[in-house]
Amino acid sequence: AGIPADALFLAVAREATGGATVAGEQRRPRLSRFTTQELANTAFAFARAGTSVRDDRLYAGIAEQTLARIGDFNEQEIANTAWAFASVGIAKPALFDAMGGALLPMVSRAHQHAARLQQGGVADAQRPGRRIAQAAAEQVETRAHAMCAPELANAAWSLAVSSE
């Protein structure tokens, strides 16, 4: 529609966090009204968009909302949120600990794709995530017979990097 992507992302960040409009009008933050999927999708989209649209205020708000509602997140939402924060290099140890703690009970029933993405997020964040890595390793061990070659290779890489 002729709107540069950066301008669109910045407008979304401004509206989500309650920043001032172009006319100087102050908006109320909207992140508290986002669903867990919307929080995860927003974090993921901004991470994929790159550093030109990085908004630390937005990430701080997403982290705050995620911590407050971590029990409502599903495996995929945790995986996407972990990947997003790790990809942009925002270190939020309390957030990663909360996501890891929420994911642990889910690991035994988690989809392989979500578990693999979450492992990668922890690895990228340079956070050991030993409890998560151990639970994931146990799941890989029990499911290895059903995994294809790329899944086995990705699991091995993720576990190796997360234990460094």
Side-chain angles (χ1 to χ4, degrees):
I3 300 172
D6 287 2
L8 174 65
F9 276 96
L10 295 174
V12 169
R14 183 183 61 242
E15 290 297 322
T17 60
T21 66
V22 175
E25 177 183 331
Q26 191 66 29
R27 298 279 194 193
R28 295 188 63 173
R30 295 185 188 190
L31 283 174
S32 63
R33 291 184 271 164
F34 279 35
T35 65
T36 55
Q37 183 177 357
E38 291 165 346
L39 290 167
N41 288 352
T42 301
F44 189 87
F46 272 77
R48 292 276 300 164
T51 57
S52 66
V53 296
R54 178 174 167 159
D55 188 303
D56 289 342
R57 188 171 164 202
L58 176 68
Y59 282 109
I62 291 172
E64 179 182 319
Q65 289 298 315
T66 300
L67 283 168
R69 297 190 268 159
I70 193 65
D72 297 333
F73 277 68
N74 67 32
E75 299 95 334
Q76 189 67 53
E77 293 161 353
I78 292 171
N80 288 351
T81 304
W83 179 87
F85 275 81
S87 293
V88 297
I90 296 178
K92 295 273 186 193
L95 178 63
F96 277 91
D97 289 345
M99 289 188 292
L103 188 65
L104 275 175
M106 299 175 189
V107 168
S108 63
R109 65 184 189 277
H111 301 290
Q112 292 178 3
H113 179 66
R116 193 168 56 249
L117 283 175
Q118 202 284 333
Q119 290 170 2
V122 171
D124 289 345
Q126 301 300 312
R127 299 244 330 123
R130 292 197 184 279
R131 293 184 306 160
I132 299 166
Q134 182 60 39
E138 290 169 8
Q139 288 305 307
V140 169
E141 187 176 342
T142 61
R143 294 181 183 172
H145 67 280
M147 296 172 75
C148 66
E151 290 172 330
L152 289 170
N154 288 338
W157 175 85
S158 295
L159 292 168
V161 174
S162 68
S163 65
E164 289 179 347

